[in-house]
Amino acid sequence: MIKIGNITLPDFPLLLAPMEDVSDPPFRVVCKDNGADLLYTEFISSEGLIRDAIKARRKLDIFDEERPVGIQIFGGDEERMAMAARIVDVTNPDLLDINFGCPIKGIVNRGAGAGVLKDIDLMVRLTEACVKSTRLPVTVKTRLGWDDATKNIEEVAERLQDAGIQALAIHGRTRCQLYKGEADWSLIAKVKNNPRIHIPIFGNGDINTPQKALEYKNRYGVDGIMVGRAAIGYPWIFREIKHYVQTGGMLPAPTLAERVAVSRKQLRRSVAWKGPKAGIYSMRRQYLYYFKGLPGFAELRQRLVTAITIEEAESVLDEILIKYEGFEMVQEPIVLKDYHENCAL
């Protein structure tokens, strides 16, 4: 078992990565249904929380069926991060996570996210400020370093552990890589194998198949894996990884009925949480992934992504079941979209 504060996770837990404009409660719930062991919110600005910004406050919404769930914050000012940590504490998540990995230019230029990788002393002070300001276990998600010349994750891991964090998730790229190239897990393994490190170490980056998850588990010895982009529109990735790790066998692809049912659940919860307009709009990016592999799907997909009411969208989902009755879904490769500056994964 893996322990983070009072949270008990199974051996080799699977974590859903915090993804901006993706990891909202409707998406988190369908991932939880399909095997995710620990969920994280979208990242939240410490400045926004303090100013009582509506969007930032809404991201604090969590629901019991998601637990355990962590709220992730970012910022570059110690006092404001401490204040944000106290606000998060009141909302009663299971843990508080600090984002030191977001590569987006607007965040980095404000001295937050991956921008803090340039100043390890500041990273430590920000972490200590949060640890001292909350009763929650504090964890961190970060990258290998700022660039190839400053891959200082081993030093960072030791110092953040000394500052009081209780788990560390590491994305196997530098900030300057964004999402280009292949994630390098060798330095993640060095952190895990460091005799000074006693907190759980979770690896993140490029996991898009059960086979790769098991290979990386065995090769790099991490305590668990954080899955991000591969879960978008395909929450079944979690159950498939778990089954493969436990049995060495592949589960069959989710049926069309399963895909419709899960996309419908996410749609309904999205509308209930965000309202009809925003809820429907936020689902549009998901449909391509949910129904990847259906032949002749262009017309129905176009109707799904242009539906303006939940009734319209649900009607198209019904049509999908009728049109493709008896169609056997096959396992399609999960292609990791290269977000670059557009995603805070």
Side-chain angles (χ1 to χ4, degrees):
M1 294 291 184
I2 302 295
K3 293 284 289 185
I4 304 175
N6 293 324
I7 303 168
T8 300
L9 301 173
D11 288 336
F12 198 63
L14 303 179
L15 289 62
L16 173 64
M19 294 179 281
E20 175 70 354
D21 292 328
V22 175
S23 300
D24 59 15
F27 178 69
R28 297 197 301 262
V29 165
V30 298
C31 289
K32 180 72 173 182
D33 289 344
N34 285 281
D37 297 301
L38 177 60
L39 312 174
Y40 292 85
T41 64
E42 305 168 75
F43 71 170
I44 306 173
S45 163
S46 57
E47 297 281 350
L49 285 180
I50 294 167
R51 294 197 313 268
D52 201 24
I54 293 174
K55 184 176 181 180
R57 288 284 179 158
R58 176 175 287 180
K59 290 179 181 179
L60 292 173
D61 289 350
I62 56 175
F63 300 90
D64 285 342
E65 61 263 50
E66 301 178 58
R67 294 184 184 278
V69 60
I71 289 177
Q72 188 187 75
I73 63 173
F74 72 93
D77 179 88
E78 297 162 56
E79 183 177 352
R80 285 172 172 78
M81 285 290 279
M83 292 174 65
R86 288 192 285 271
I87 294 169
V88 168
D89 196 281
V90 174
T91 66
N92 197 35
D94 297 287
L95 62 84
L96 169 68
D97 189 70
I98 306 173
N99 182 316
F100 290 140
C102 174
I104 292 178
K105 187 180 298 184
I107 303 297
V108 169
N109 288 347
R110 288 153 55 187
V116 186
L117 289 167
K118 292 181 175 182
D119 188 343
I120 300 178
D121 290 340
L122 174 60
M123 183 185 291
V124 171
R125 294 197 303 271
L126 292 170
T127 302
E128 289 175 338
C130 290
V131 170
K132 293 174 182 177
S133 300
T134 179
R135 59 180 175 77
L136 300 166
V138 175
T139 63
V140 163
K141 183 171 189 285
T142 189
R143 290 182 171 235
L144 300 179
W146 176 258
D147 56 22
D148 286 342
T150 57
K151 291 182 178 179
N152 47 25
I153 188 60
E154 293 179 83
E155 177 189 352
V156 166
E158 290 187 2
R159 295 187 64 183
L160 293 184
Q161 177 179 266
D162 292 344
I165 70 167
Q166 299 192 38
L168 178 64
I170 306 169
H171 183 108
R173 290 182 174 89
T174 65
R175 187 274 163 182
C176 289
Q177 281 183 270
L178 301 176
Y179 300 96
K180 299 174 184 177
E182 186 177 351
D184 177 9
W185 284 55
S186 61
L187 285 178
I188 303 176
K190 285 188 177 181
V191 173
K192 173 57 191 172
N193 294 323
N194 182 339
R196 275 209 61 212
I197 297 296
H198 57 76
I199 59 175
I201 302 298
F202 303 120
N204 174 232
D206 294 351
I207 298 298
N208 62 341
T209 67
Q211 295 92 332
K212 185 179 283 188
L214 180 58
E215 176 191 351
Y216 280 30
K217 172 184 184 291
N218 293 335
R219 183 189 299 179
Y220 300 111
V222 291
D223 293 296
I225 283 177
M226 179 176 279
V227 179
R229 292 171 289 169
I232 299 175
Y234 200 81
W236 301 278
I237 186 68
F238 295 101
R239 76 178 188 187
E240 290 176 0
I241 290 173
K242 284 193 168 185
H243 183 81
Y244 191 81
V245 168
Q246 292 168 2
T247 70
M250 288 291 293
L251 286 172
T255 65
L256 180 63
E258 284 182 282
R259 294 169 191 256
V260 169
V262 174
S263 63
R264 196 189 300 272
K265 177 174 182 175
Q266 188 177 346
L267 170 65
R268 290 176 177 176
R269 292 186 70 103
S270 184
V271 168
W273 182 61
K274 293 184 177 180
K277 184 176 180 180
I280 290 170
Y281 180 81
S282 69
M283 280 297 296
R284 290 177 176 174
R285 76 184 73 183
Q286 307 274 345
Y287 295 127
L288 176 63
Y289 299 96
Y290 270 119
F291 301 113
K292 184 179 180 182
L294 286 179
F297 188 62
E299 187 267 336
L300 286 172
R301 181 175 65 243
Q302 181 63 20
R303 288 172 56 196
L304 271 177
V305 300
T306 56
I308 59 174
T309 68
I310 189 171
E311 290 79 14
E312 285 182 67
E314 295 242 30
S315 177
V316 179
L317 292 175
D318 291 337
E319 286 187 53
I320 293 171
L321 285 174
I322 295 169
K323 178 176 179 178
Y324 295 98
E325 183 179 4
F327 181 82
E328 186 173 341
M329 302 296 297
V330 297
Q331 199 68 268
E332 293 282 340
I334 298 176
V335 179
L336 299 177
K337 183 178 178 182
D338 192 350
Y339 282 85
H340 294 292
E341 292 286 304
N342 298 318
C343 176
L345 178 62

